[in-house]
Amino acid sequence: AENLEPTEQQVQELYTERLPKFTRPATMQLAVLKISVPEKASEERRQLLEAKAGEIHAECVKQADETPHFGALAARSSDHRASRYRGGELTPVTRDDFSEVWGEAAAEAVQKLQPGEISPVVALSDGWGIFRLIGRKDAKPISLDIVRHNLELEVRMKNEEKAMDDAAGFAGKVEGNGIVIVRQVLATLLPPPGKPPETARPPTGPR
């Protein structure tokens, strides 16, 4: 039973194997200011909105020292309803998730930013975007102590399964050896194939 208990080495090895799953991915904290372009907008309308995005970008840069995000400017100028009333601030997001929502061009633009910096005006699928990097958090593994209990349970289950497999294999080996021995004994008692067994003859001589 003692052999079934997980060893520290087994737990460490399983933790190392699962480390990618136990690692919180790197995230970015961003603010956005979005200028939407209607799907059926004329070319003239699109150009006017692009020019407006450029003017808003200049204003963002001008007031950059006043707030870590876009402040009241987001409430006045952004079409992104979910963030406009909190300075354009988005929830922390991974690069892949950000790219999925805002597009790869925007993801590449924010990837180059240092905290506090503002991106150029970026073309989106439905308009224009201006992004500001508030901060980053590096990928961080969950400590072994937090997941130790679950790992120990998993190691013990593996140990139990291995013990059962070993026992079944040993039983099969013993059974197999037993069959071989029985066959050997029978071979000494039975005649070879094709040869009739000898029958007892009546005694001869005077009665």
Side-chain angles (χ1 to χ4, degrees), residues 29-203:
Q29 181 77 56
L30 295 155
V32 62
L33 204 156
K34 180 181 179 182
I35 297 88
S36 296
V37 176
E39 184 178 353
K40 296 182 179 181
S42 64
E43 184 61 29
E44 182 181 1
R45 176 65 173 161
R46 292 176 182 275
Q47 291 178 359
L48 288 173
L49 290 172
E50 183 178 1
K52 177 185 176 182
E55 294 171 2
I56 294 173
H57 183 272
E59 197 171 348
C60 290
V61 174
K62 185 177 180 180
Q63 67 167 33
D65 294 336
E66 299 177 10
T67 174
H69 36 68
F70 291 127
L73 184 58
R76 294 196 306 271
S77 305
S78 180
D79 293 322
H80 190 248
R81 296 181 180 179
S83 66
R84 61 187 299 180
Y85 294 113
R86 55 171 187 259
E89 191 169 333
L90 303 172
T91 56
V93 64
T94 65
R95 187 198 184 282
D96 289 344
D97 289 344
F98 180 85
S99 175
E100 186 175 341
V101 174
W102 297 95
E104 184 59 23
E108 291 180 0
V110 301
Q111 193 70 28
K112 300 173 183 177
L113 299 178
Q114 296 298 319
E117 291 183 343
I118 298 171
S119 75
V121 177
V122 180
L124 306 176
S125 61
D126 57 350
W128 304 94
I130 303 166
F131 300 92
R132 186 173 192 179
L133 179 64
I134 299 172
R136 299 182 190 276
K137 285 188 177 180
D138 295 332
K140 183 179 180 181
I142 300 173
S143 71
L144 174 58
D145 290 339
I146 294 176
V147 296
R148 175 181 292 277
H149 178 67
N150 289 339
L151 293 178
E152 288 176 345
L153 290 176
E154 186 172 346
V155 170
R156 182 177 177 84
M157 288 179 63
K158 288 184 177 180
N159 290 347
E160 290 175 351
E161 290 175 0
K162 183 177 184 304
M164 291 176 65
D165 290 342
D166 291 345
F170 178 75
K173 184 176 181 181
V174 171
E175 182 180 358
N177 289 340
I179 292 173
V180 170
I181 293 172
V182 169
R183 286 178 177 172
Q184 290 175 344
V185 172
L186 290 175
T188 63
L189 299 177
L190 298 177
K195 182 179 179 180
E198 294 185 1
T199 57
R201 296 179 179 178

Side-chain angles (χ1 to χ4, degrees), residues 17-32:
E17 178 185 331
R18 300 285 173 82
L19 193 57
K21 294 182 179 180
F22 294 151
T23 300
R24 297 186 181 97
T27 58
M28 305 178 292
Q29 181 77 56
L30 295 155
V32 62

